[in-house]
């Protein structure tokens, strides 16, 4: 296929990706970037006012177009937009929560000795979570205790009444807000199902009321499914601690069998990392001329095994096809979420074997080897054996040289420990440095990569501007990977930070940008924010703390759900690229303003990265002013105190 020449530099700021884009264009291999250039977004769909929930339509509705003010049933733009937004929240919550369900089932099997290769690794966290759930630990070994924890959390998926346990982690003032609004989730699956029912034809037709349940559904993810996934994965695989590794396509090795794991569930990849060290398989690799077996990750599976095993990261979601284009990937193993169907076509252009492994997902032309917790090691070994057999079939190999150092693995527990030490672990130093002005506030930069923008550039532009203005940045998902590729996830990046943040980073020995995990690990940020509140001095609720979130390059329904559970928790969130509510003036006005009356936070939309960074800084400064800790005043007082101490010395 002859493809139209593309301007690679205009599509991505990553030079390794530019090299592979030029290669695929030369070779006539179509990728997501080529397809995005050919396909224009639907002007109604992009604003959220295309309704297809029944077949009296589908209807495209606009506030301004004559004769298009309502759908056939009379639904207005704000109702249609709110329904679509609610369905995106439900889909995102379902994705994260189904991930959590699979983890919970494997966790239970491991506790019962029914999952070879899996074991309870963090007993300290197990006991802490058990105590939080009201489970007595005395006299029980770790497996019996884990079984009780697993059963209690698994029950929350089908629970019909009551409240999710982890909701109680939120600040008391925030829980009061949720009680008043009636949005505390009763059960994870119940809220997702009810959201789908409310948004079906002829049911809920008032946009604020629809969003009230959207709040509830999002909390079922953030304080439910995602948090359960994070906690159980930590107990099962080990709570992350800071670890050094490498990132970008240069982590692929020309002289080794390369296997890429991609998706979101770390269950099989954990076993593959272990199996790749098996001497029998290493001997087989040497037998076909390879010097070893190299496992590398893409997307959130990459983040999961990176922060626990130090496994190198080949790239973010938009590099999945480009990795295959190197000609050096002998097998790609995918499970669920963010996996492009185009992988099958690209793999056929090279020698790569593509494996699907989840009962939930298959791709035409891929080899399906289904993983479950009973056969995990056998599946892992079979994939590695097939990758080894595929190694001699390589044709031309072109691997970019770019591989960059990063430090990952900043869990809530790690941050607590780094700031205060083992015996006085505390967020007090962070709170004090926000109060005295060394740190202006905290911003979470999260979410996907999107081929509609210059991918990676939005994340890194915003992050550079934030840290230069003394904002501590927490990153997850593909945003974390994109920042890592630009050298922002190492302690040396403190040189790019403002004087106050740089001083704190150098004292602690941490980067100014902290890798906090995968998409489901955004729940860690909720826990961290709550810890700041509980430490004292920065308000009584998340809505009062100088924190803000953004997803500049988002593309997934999961991002909408994540954004909504942060807003519902009191944290203002900004999105770039486009926003799926701008087709309705009433509904977008509510999300960008009116919702603050209910939850103390809003959404905002800003596609320009520098403007988004400035807006985040303004939000942080307004929160500081409300707390009486003005940035300039506190910084002057701090500098005066430092000069006085130097004069004394």
């Amino acid at each position: 296929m002859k493809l139209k020449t593309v301007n690679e530099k205009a599509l991505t700021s990553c030079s390794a990706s530019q090299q592979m884009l030029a290669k695929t264009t030369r070779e006539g291999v179509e990728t997501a970037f080529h397809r995005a250039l050919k396909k224009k977004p639907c002007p109604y769909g992009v604003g959220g006012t295309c309704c297809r929930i029944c077949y009296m339509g589908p209807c495209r509705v606009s506030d301004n177009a004559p004769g298009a003010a309502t759908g056939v049933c009379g639904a207005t733009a704000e109702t249609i937009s709110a329904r679509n937004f609610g369905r995106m929240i439900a889909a995102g919550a379902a994705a994260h929560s189904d991930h959590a369900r699979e983890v919970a089932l494997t966790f239970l099997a491991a506790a019962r000795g029914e999952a070879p290769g899996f074991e309870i690794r963090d007993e300290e966290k197990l006991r802490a979570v058990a105590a939080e759930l009201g489970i007595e630990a005395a006299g029980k070994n770790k497996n019996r205790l884990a079984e009780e924890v697993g059963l209690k959390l698994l029950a929350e998926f089908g629970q019909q009444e009551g409240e999710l346990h982890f909701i109680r982690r939120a600040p008391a003032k925030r829980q009061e807000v949720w009680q008043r609004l009636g949005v505390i989730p009763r059960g994870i699956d119940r809220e997702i199902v009810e959201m789908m029912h409310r948004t079906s034809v002829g049911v809920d037709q008032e946009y604020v009321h629809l969003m009230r349940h959207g709040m509830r559904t999002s909390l079922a993810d953030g304080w439910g499914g995602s948090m359960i996934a994070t906690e159980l994965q930590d107990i099962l695989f080990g709570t992350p601690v800071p670890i050094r590794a490498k990132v970008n396509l240069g982590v692929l090795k020309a002289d080794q069998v390369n296997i890429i794991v991609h998706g979101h569930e770390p269950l099989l990849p954990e076993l593959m990392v272990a199996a790749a060290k098996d001497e029998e398989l290493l001997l087989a690799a040497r037998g076909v001329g390879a010097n070893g077996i190299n496992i590398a990750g893409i997307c959130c599976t990459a983040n999961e095994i990176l922060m626990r095993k130090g496994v190198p990261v080949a790239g973010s979601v938009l590099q999945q096809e480009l990795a295959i284009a190197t000609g050096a990937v002998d097998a790609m193993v995918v499970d669920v979420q963010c996996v492009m169907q185009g992988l099958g076509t690209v793999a056929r252009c090279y020698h790569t074997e593509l494996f699907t492994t989840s009962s939930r997902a298959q791709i035409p032309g891929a080899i399906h080897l289904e993983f479950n917790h009973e056969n995990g090691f056998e599946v892992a070994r079979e994939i590695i054996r097939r990758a080894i057999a595929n190694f001699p079939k390589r044709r031309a190999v072109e691997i970019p040289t770019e591989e960059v150092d990063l430090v990952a693995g900043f869990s809530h527990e790690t941050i607590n420990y780094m700031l205060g030490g083992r015996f006085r672990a505390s967020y007090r130093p962070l709170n004090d440095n926000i109060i005295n002005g060394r740190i202006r506030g905290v911003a979470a930069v999260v979410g996907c990569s999107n081929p509609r923008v210059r991918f990676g550039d939005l994340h890194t532009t915003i992050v550079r501007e934030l840290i230069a203005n003394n904002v501590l940045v927490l990153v997850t998902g593909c945003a974390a990977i994109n920042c890592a590729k630009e050298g922002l996830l190492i302690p040396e990046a403190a040189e790019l930070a403002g004087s106050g943040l740089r001083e704190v980073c150098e004292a602690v020995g941490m980067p100014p940008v902290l890798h906090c995990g995968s998409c489901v690990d955004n729940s860690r940020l909720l826990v961290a924010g709550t810890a700041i509140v509980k430490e004292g001095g920065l308000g009584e609720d998340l809505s009062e703390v100088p924190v803000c979130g953004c997803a500049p390059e988002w593309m997934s329904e999961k991002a909408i759900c994540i954004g909504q559970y942060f807003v519902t928790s009191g944290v203002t969130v900004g999105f770039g690229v486009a926003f799926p509510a701008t087709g309705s003036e009433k509904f977008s006005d509510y999300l960008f303003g009116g919702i603050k009356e209910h939850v103390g936070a809003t959404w905002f939309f800003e596609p320009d990265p520098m403007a988004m960074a400035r807006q985040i800084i303004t939000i942080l400064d307004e929160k500081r002013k409300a707390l009486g800790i003005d940035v300039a005043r506190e910084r002057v007082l701090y500098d005066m105190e430092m000069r006085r101490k130097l004069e004394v010395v």
Side-chain angles (χ1 to χ4, degrees), residues 165-309:
H165 276 88
F166 289 149
I167 283 289
R168 300 167 196 169
R169 289 180 164 182
K173 194 171 180 179
R174 179 54 34 179
Q175 293 184 56
E176 290 170 10
V177 171
W178 294 336
Q179 287 281 6
R180 187 168 64 251
L181 291 171
V183 299
I184 293 181
R186 297 154 293 187
I188 296 168
D189 293 348
R190 173 169 182 175
E191 309 310 350
I192 294 168
V193 169
E194 186 169 320
M195 188 78 255
M196 295 305 292
H197 176 207
R198 286 182 184 226
T199 55
S200 64
V201 61
V203 187
D204 200 349
Q205 300 173 45
E206 203 284 315
Y207 68 97
V208 175
H209 192 247
L210 277 161
M211 271 309 298
R212 193 71 62 88
H213 192 69
M215 295 177 195
R216 196 175 209 170
T217 306
S218 71
L219 294 179
D221 176 11
W223 298 87
S226 282
M227 201 166 281
I228 289 170
T230 292
E231 299 298 75
L232 294 187
Q233 285 174 178
D234 281 357
I235 296 168
L236 192 57
F237 303 131
T239 300
V241 296
I243 189 168
R244 273 193 178 263
K246 300 281 188 181
V247 63
N248 217 339
L249 294 173
V251 304
L252 299 174
K253 305 301 178 188
D255 63 343
Q256 295 188 30
V257 175
N258 290 305
I259 303 171
I260 286 185
V261 290
H262 168 32
H264 283 74
E265 294 179 351
L267 304 172
L268 177 60
E270 281 276 336
L271 299 181
M272 291 189 66
V273 171
K277 299 173 184 175
D278 183 272
E279 190 53 45
E280 179 186 336
L281 292 173
L282 289 169
L283 184 62
R286 289 192 287 271
V288 296
N291 287 328
I293 301 168
N294 181 38
I295 308 284
I298 290 276
C299 205
C300 277
T301 291
N303 285 313
E304 296 280 7
I305 58 175
L306 158 70
M307 61 185 178
R308 294 188 178 92
K309 304 293 185 184

Side-chain angles (χ1 to χ4, degrees), residues 11 28 76 116 128-129 147 262 325 346 377 500 528 580 634:
L11 297 176
T76 58
V129 171
E147 183 176 15
H262 168 32
V346 175
F377 250 133
E634 293 297 338

Side-chain angles (χ1 to χ4, degrees), residues 467 487-497 511-513:
I467 64 174
L488 295 171
L489 268 58
I490 52 176
E492 293 81 356
E495 296 174 3
L496 304 173
V513 185

Side-chain angles (χ1 to χ4, degrees), residues 415 442-446 472-476 512-516 524-525 528:
I415 296 171
V442 179
V445 181
V446 307
L472 177 65
V473 176
L474 310 181
V475 289
T476 61
V513 185
L514 303 182
H515 181 296
C516 296
R524 295 190 197 277
L525 308 186

